[in-house]
Amino acid sequence: MDNSPSVLDPPEQVWHTRWNRRLAGQIAVLLLANVLADTVIVTPMLVLPQILGHFHTDQAAWISSSAMLAGAMLAPLFGKSADIHGKRRMLVVALLVACAGGLICLLAPTLWLFVLGRLVQGAAVAGVFLTVAIVRDLCTPRVAMTAVGAVTTGAGVLSVVVNVSVEQLVAQSGFRVVFLVSASLAVIAVVLVRSLVPEPATRTAGRVDIAGAVLFGGGVTALLAYISFVPDLGWSGPGALALLGAGVAALAGWFRTARRVPEPVIDVRNLGRPLVLTLLVVVLGTGAVQCMDQLLSVIAQVSPDQRLGYGFDARGSLSLLFGIPAIGIMAGGLISGWVAARFDPSAALAAGVVTGTVGAVGMFSGASSFHGAIAFAVLLNLCLGTLLVSGFNMAAVLAPPERQGVTASLVTVMSATGSVVMSFVGAAVLAATDVVVDGTVVNSATGVHGYIGVSVGVFAVAVVLAFFLVARRRQF
């Protein structure tokens, strides 16, 4: 008996063949779902020092990256479930789960309950690729290229308004208001998605590999915990080695499972070289970009009067520091969609990582200048928008219709994993180079510049891989 997945007989699908009012309305609704992801990932960076102070901890990486980590772990489950049960249905589920996470963070009395809430909020990250999959099911391929750019990166403009408003609310009500706003947006998005966005017709028969997802997620989490706690446990301490061994064993078990089960959560057997190169560029490039948000959140509130060799005291202007560069995400997404529709997504991907490399190098000077930080952050966000949209478009070009959901989820897995790994590595670099000034432990200039140097090195590798991908695509 043939147990391979098959495409279910769907009702007739009516595609958008051009931009129109109805498509614009649907894009706007899906865009709101992605604004929610922005309030989960970026907006808490505005209040990261307040959160660290409230819970008396220095575990910035866990607070800033736990939602992204959970998003990476949940994405394959949501992707496979979306292909089987419906993309709109799973988007609604993701939004409701993210709402619950926001409420946990709002009420959490302890740090680790707060981190649990951040992990639950990570479902919003999985929602991003679901909006992409829905768009590709509602539009013809040519229209979808630019529509994907609009729905994934248009949140950059709206986030400026949201972050300015949230910063003012935080000044009046404290940092927890960030999570009240996030939960409220999730409820609004659920109502609008159910009312205005149709359920795409394409479905696939099959089942979800929950065991594989648990092994993959547990393995990555254990390795990140190893990186995070090395400054306290030591590289070869018993606790650190236990985390390292557990992570390696879980990932090895996942890999063996993925090669044996008929429908693994991540099908390593069907990853062609172009898709592998695409995913590597995405994981390296997005990680190198997004870890800068964590760094900027820390150094932006350091006064130049402290003479640490970095810092520009942007308190009161944090919404501008994070909001204005976010416009670059939208610009990068729209430009890369245009390039992909006329040439190839690989060309946009290569241009994106080159732009990001310039932005990362510029951060050596931007670490001490508010205006410089904004300018180079715009380039980094331009790169991020390009990478996300080009990654989704490349995955869509390389995947059949019945596997769009799970393939798009791989892009989310890679972007989230890259962000989390780089954030933990950067936090470890900062922790290892702390200095004591006037009896207070602070980050050193060596640590800050080393953090930026790691990002530049990762970008350099991504550039090489991106040009390999372009060369391979030109052969066909």
Side-chain angles (χ1 to χ4, degrees), residues 206-275:
R207 65 180 185 85
V208 179
D209 176 23
I210 296 177
V214 171
L215 286 171
F216 179 75
V220 173
T221 302
L223 291 181
L224 292 176
Y226 170 72
I227 296 172
S228 173
F229 294 120
V230 155
D232 299 323
L233 302 178
W235 289 103
S236 58
L241 291 178
L243 286 171
L244 177 62
V248 172
L251 288 177
W254 159 75
F255 187 77
R256 287 196 301 270
T257 300
R259 293 179 64 86
R260 293 175 181 175
V261 301
E263 298 174 44
V265 68
I266 299 176
D267 193 350
V268 295
R269 295 163 300 191
N270 291 324
L271 297 180
R273 185 174 296 179
L275 182 56

Side-chain angles (χ1 to χ4, degrees), residues 88-399:
R88 188 190 71 168
R89 179 180 298 176
M90 296 312 301
L91 175 60
V92 168
V93 171
L95 294 173
L96 291 174
V97 173
C99 176
L103 294 176
I104 293 173
C105 290
L106 178 66
L107 303 173
T110 64
L111 171 63
W112 295 111
L113 191 57
F114 181 85
V115 171
L116 173 63
R118 294 287 289 148
L119 290 168
V120 176
Q121 274 194 304
V125 179
V128 174
F129 80 84
L130 290 173
T131 63
V132 172
I134 290 172
V135 167
R136 296 201 66 89
D137 274 356
L138 295 178
C139 304
T140 58
R142 188 174 182 85
V143 174
M145 290 285 189
T146 51
V148 166
V151 79
T152 55
T153 60
V157 174
L158 294 179
S159 69
V160 177
V161 178
V162 171
N163 288 337
V164 169
S165 302
V166 167
E167 189 174 19
Q168 294 173 348
L169 291 173
V170 167
Q172 299 172 2
S173 305
F175 73 86
R176 291 188 190 269
V177 74
V178 168
F179 304 99
L180 177 61
V181 170
S182 181
S184 301
L185 279 176
V187 173
I188 295 171
V190 165
V191 173
L192 292 177
V193 167
R194 286 186 58 84
S195 301
L196 300 176
V197 178
E199 178 67 79
T202 304
R203 302 280 186 89
T204 304
R207 65 180 185 85
V208 179
D209 176 23
I210 296 177
V214 171
L215 286 171
F216 179 75
V220 173
T221 302
L223 291 181
L224 292 176
Y226 170 72
I227 296 172
S228 173
F229 294 120
V230 155
D232 299 323
L233 302 178
W235 289 103
S236 58
L241 291 178
L243 286 171
L244 177 62
V248 172
L251 288 177
W254 159 75
F255 187 77
R256 287 196 301 270
T257 300
R259 293 179 64 86
R260 293 175 181 175
V261 301
E263 298 174 44
V265 68
I266 299 176
D267 193 350
V268 295
R269 295 163 300 191
N270 291 324
L271 297 180
R273 185 174 296 179
L275 182 56
V276 170
L277 285 172
T278 298
L279 296 176
L280 287 174
V281 173
V282 169
V283 71
L284 294 172
T286 56
V289 171
Q290 292 185 317
C291 71
M292 286 297 183
D293 284 342
Q294 178 177 278
L295 181 66
L296 284 177
S297 180
V298 173
I299 67 176
Q301 301 188 57
V302 173
S303 172
D305 296 336
Q306 294 178 254
R307 300 184 183 279
L308 296 175
Y310 65 90
F312 43 80
D313 196 3
R315 283 170 289 191
S317 301
L318 288 175
S319 58
L320 296 178
L321 180 63
F322 287 98
I324 292 176
I327 297 174
I329 297 179
M330 182 175 183
L334 293 176
I335 293 171
S336 63
W338 182 88
V339 171
R342 286 156 180 78
F343 303 101
D344 190 80
S346 63
L349 200 66
V353 290
V354 171
T355 302
T357 304
V358 174
V361 171
M363 276 297 174
F364 282 110
S365 61
S368 302
S369 166
F370 176 71
H371 294 98
I374 289 181
F376 292 115
V378 168
L379 292 180
L380 287 168
N381 280 272
L382 190 69
C383 167
L384 180 60
T386 302
L387 290 177
L388 290 176
V389 174
S390 300
F392 283 126
N393 282 331
M394 275 297 301
V397 168
L398 298 171

Side-chain angles (χ1 to χ4, degrees), residues 55-108:
F55 289 111
H56 306 291
T57 181
D58 61 355
Q59 289 294 332
W62 278 107
I63 292 173
S64 64
S65 300
S66 49
M68 188 72 82
L69 170 63
M73 303 306 100
L74 291 171
L77 282 175
F78 275 104
K80 187 65 176 180
S81 299
D83 285 336
I84 296 171
H85 301 295
K87 299 178 179 67
R88 188 190 71 168
R89 179 180 298 176
M90 296 312 301
L91 175 60
V92 168
V93 171
L95 294 173
L96 291 174
V97 173
C99 176
L103 294 176
I104 293 173
C105 290
L106 178 66
L107 303 173

